[in-house]
Amino acid sequence: MNKVLNKWFRKTHRWLAVPTALLIPMAVVIRFSGNPSWQAFLKSFEMAQSLLMLILAITGAYLFLLPYLTKWQSEKTRSA
């Protein structure tokens, strides 16, 4: 893949990991607190939290597979 695309995937993954890592424990604490006003606040952020987790899963899977993809591409070009 393109090096610029790889760079942006890494930056996106890093910058989204921080708010997601903060939102998950906060959501657990709010859920078990029992305060109805806090739980209403949590409902408004559940979609954002789910979207962040989805983007992190996609970029994380890409970054995990990237070394294997580059190895496969380099072997493919060597044999051609």
Side-chain angles (χ1 to χ4, degrees):
M1 273 275 172
N2 192 355
K3 287 187 179 186
V4 175
L5 182 64
N6 294 343
K7 177 182 170 184
W8 281 105
F9 265 95
R10 288 187 190 283
K11 282 189 176 197
T12 302
H13 188 79
R14 285 181 190 151
W15 281 100
L16 290 179
V18 173
T20 304
L22 295 174
L23 280 175
I24 292 172
M26 185 177 80
V28 169
V29 168
I30 289 173
R31 184 152 323 249
F32 290 121
S33 70
N35 190 340
S37 63
W38 284 9
Q39 292 195 6
F41 175 74
L42 177 65
K43 290 246 185 246
S44 64
F45 283 104
E46 281 181 348
M47 182 64 106
Q49 184 179 359
S50 298
L51 185 61
L52 285 173
M53 290 295 290
L54 177 64
I55 294 170
L56 277 175
I58 291 169
T59 58
Y62 174 76
L63 292 173
F64 176 77
L65 293 174
L66 188 59
Y68 301 105
L69 293 172
T70 55
K71 181 180 177 185
W72 177 70
Q73 286 178 348
S74 66
E75 287 176 359
K76 186 177 158 184
T77 57
R78 271 191 239 149
S79 65

